[in-house]
Amino acid sequence: MSQIIALTNQKGGVGKTTSAVNLAASLAQLGRRVLLVDLDPQGHASMGSGIDKHALDVSVLDVLLGEAEARNVIARDLPVGFDVLPGNGDLTAAEVELLDSQERQSRLSTALNTVADDYDVVLIDCPPSLNMLTVNALTAADGVLIPLQCEFYALEGLSALLDTVDQIKESINPSLTVSGILRTMYDKRTSLTREVDKQLRDFFGDALLKTTIPRNIKVAEAPSHGVPVTHYARFSRGSQAYRVLAKELMRRLTL
């Protein structure tokens, strides 16, 4: 049975898309059938997977609007080893286009139900905001993976996000859970990191993943080459960290 995991944080620049792409690649390298859904209008997950977002004839927006079926939009047989339901700037129209649609919050869930059995795990890269696209992702998901940096404002944003998760769980998707909180761009040498780290441990306990993703130049360079860091620099610290993350999630979610 497929697990659908939404990677989300309304704060930008926390490594959300980077984690989505590299986790997808790491899980695929471990033999899992993976679909990555790019629900961010920036289209960076598509680009980081080797897809030209500007050349798309159809995208996940067409799927959300019911104008195309997911299986006909998914990009397959990619060198990165996983499939992608691509997105681009057209998604900026989703908020308005879906406003008067019936069951507008469950459009993605309905679409993914038609292809989920083809995969062991579906990862959804959400936009850095709590909008209708994110609501669609949380409605479709079994779990939420929250990447964050160990900084003061991260804690404030995390509280708002968890409130939204609770609201979605109570009103739309009762099976939604927090799959884990992932610390990214992690540097244990700084006192702020250690302080925030302790607060996260005290407050979230087992929800805090053991794996941390370090600051690593190879992770930052990989997207410009259109590949995950696991392909670009497979022996780098960043690449190794994402492989460890994939294994931890496989144990935690029984993937």
Side-chain angles (χ1 to χ4, degrees):
M1 188 178 197
S2 178
Q3 286 272 344
I4 301 177
I5 307 298
L7 285 88
T8 185
N9 191 326
Q10 75 270 32
K11 187 178 186 303
V14 298
K16 174 184 57 62
T17 298
T18 298
S19 294
V21 171
N22 287 297
L23 179 57
S26 298
L27 287 167
Q29 289 174 351
L30 291 168
R32 298 304 182 268
R33 299 169 301 161
V34 182
L35 172 64
L36 175 60
V37 180
D38 189 352
L39 212 59
D40 188 339
Q42 296 177 96
H44 289 168
S46 299
M47 294 176 65
S49 304
I51 295 172
D52 183 354
K53 67 178 182 179
H54 302 293
L56 295 175
D57 294 323
V58 288
S59 71
V60 67
L61 176 63
D62 299 282
V63 175
L64 291 172
L65 298 180
E67 297 173 357
E69 294 185 8
R71 66 178 64 257
N72 296 329
V73 180
I74 292 172
R76 298 179 172 83
D77 301 319
L78 298 170
V80 290
F82 54 88
D83 294 351
V84 178
L85 183 53
N88 58 19
D90 292 345
L91 278 167
T92 55
E95 195 81 16
V96 175
E97 295 281 358
L98 292 172
L99 192 60
D100 297 322
S101 302
Q102 290 185 338
E103 299 181 341
R104 58 185 181 272
Q105 74 271 21
S106 59
R107 289 298 188 92
L108 182 63
S109 178
T110 300
L112 291 181
N113 283 339
T114 66
V115 298
D117 288 344
D118 297 336
Y119 301 97
D120 299 308
V121 59
V122 178
L123 301 176
I124 307 173
D125 182 37
C126 299
S129 59
L130 298 178
N131 59 15
M132 185 55 64
L133 291 171
T134 302
V135 170
N136 262 266
L138 296 178
T139 301
D142 301 300
V144 184
L145 178 60
I146 306 172
L148 56 79
Q149 286 181 261
C150 288
E151 58 180 28
F152 174 75
Y153 289 119
L155 296 174
E156 182 178 349
L158 182 57
S159 177
L161 175 57
L162 292 174
D163 286 344
T164 300
V165 171
D166 286 340
Q167 291 171 15
I168 296 293
K169 183 170 183 171
E170 291 176 7
S171 61
I172 304 173
N173 182 5
S175 63
L176 184 64
T177 62
V178 175
S179 300
I181 296 171
L182 173 66
R183 291 160 290 174
T184 61
M185 292 173 267
Y186 189 79
D187 186 353
K188 64 181 179 182
R189 297 172 298 178
T190 70
S191 58
L192 178 58
T193 294
R194 293 193 297 270
E195 180 182 341
V196 175
D197 202 24
K198 183 181 184 304
Q199 293 179 34
L200 290 171
R201 290 178 185 278
D202 291 344
F203 192 79
F204 294 106
D206 291 340
L208 189 66
L209 293 168
K210 294 179 181 178
T211 307
T212 59
I213 308 300
R215 289 189 179 276
N216 183 250
I217 188 61
K218 297 300 182 183
V219 172
E221 291 174 353
S224 66
H225 296 269
V227 293
V229 71
T230 52
H231 289 62
Y232 173 68
R234 59 178 300 189
F235 298 112
S236 65
R237 290 175 61 237
S239 181
Q240 292 171 2
Y242 278 112
R243 282 194 289 271
V244 172
L245 171 64
K247 291 177 181 177
E248 181 176 0
L249 283 176
M250 285 169 60
R251 293 191 300 270
R252 180 175 284 229
L253 305 176
T254 320
L255 294 174

